[in-house]
Amino acid sequence: MSGELSPIDKAKFVAAKKAAEYVEDGMRVGLGTGSTAAWLVRCLGEMVRDEGLRIKGVPTSTRTAQLAREVGIQVVSLDEAKWLDLTIDGADEFDGDLNLIKGGGGALLQEKIVATASDQMVVIADVGKEVETLGAFPLPVEVIPFGWQTTQALIEETLVSIDVLGRASTLRMNGDSPFVTDEGNHILDLHLNRIGDARQLAMVLNQMPGVVENGLFIDICDAVVVGYGDGRVEVRDINAGTIEEAMLDFAETDNLFTDLVD
């Protein structure tokens, strides 16, 4: 595999492989959405196939559900699972306190519901996702389609009194049409550049009529597994206050990963 993957994909793969070690037989596991989370689903599928791992997976999007079924993971709804032992998901940004920006893949609402219904949330990411201050990645805000332009104007007006560097927002598109989430909503991407007080911003946004949810995940993540292009991984546990490092070996394979394309 080492000869087939770019350094960024190697980083995603080793982070996912290491995070899979958190999963134990019989667990109910939230399965994230996005390119890094897809690596995790493939790793778990390999464990189901080769090691007899038995888990119930709660996907955070229709595409994750499809992938999970393809690799042999039993898929159940959150209502069926009721509560989860663990959620593993990616992130678009994370800071030193393990606060996150998520939603680049458009699944932030289901991702936040699933993550907060879990005993533990583990984030997998390549080292490029680490930032000193959140905000360089556009902040996704899910809004209902009705009156979305009014909601957008209200958000931009409110940002004047918030500690951010930028206040522009754009409607996320899918070709010539607005992007539509699994819940039938739209997404506004806020180009803030730097967020001075992420907790305050998250609270203010969610008080606005028309806003369904925002992509700031504050005090939700328990640990982050950071992957590097050379096979190194670093596990940062915010609760234990520990940082552990390891090196994962690559092996040539023609198994579940051969057709994985980001």
Side-chain angles (χ1 to χ4, degrees), residues 2 15 64 77 84 101 103 105 110 116 143 149 152 164 169 174 176 181 187 197 202 207-208 225 238:
S2 59
T64 295
S77 69
L84 305 180
I101 285 182
Q110 288 190 22
T116 53
V143 299
Q149 290 175 308
Q152 181 183 32
V164 294
S169 65
N174 182 14
D176 295 330
T181 69
I187 288 182
D197 189 335
Q207 290 175 348
M208 295 183 185
V225 182
I238 194 71

Side-chain angles (χ1 to χ4, degrees), residues 225-237:
V225 182
V226 185
Y228 294 80
D230 60 0
R232 288 181 297 129
V233 290
E234 190 175 86
V235 181
R236 307 179 192 177
D237 189 313

Side-chain angles (χ1 to χ4, degrees), residues 11-34:
K12 292 177 180 180
F13 170 71
V14 294
K17 192 74 171 177
K18 183 65 176 178
E21 296 177 7
Y22 282 85
V23 180
E24 300 176 3
D25 199 56
M27 276 188 169
R28 295 160 295 180
V29 182
L31 305 174
T33 295

Side-chain angles (χ1 to χ4, degrees), residues 153-162 167 201 204-205 208:
L154 179 61
I155 290 173
E156 292 182 351
E157 180 181 341
T158 303
L159 289 175
V160 173
S161 60
I162 301 293
R167 300 183 181 88
L201 178 58
V204 169
L205 287 171
M208 295 183 185

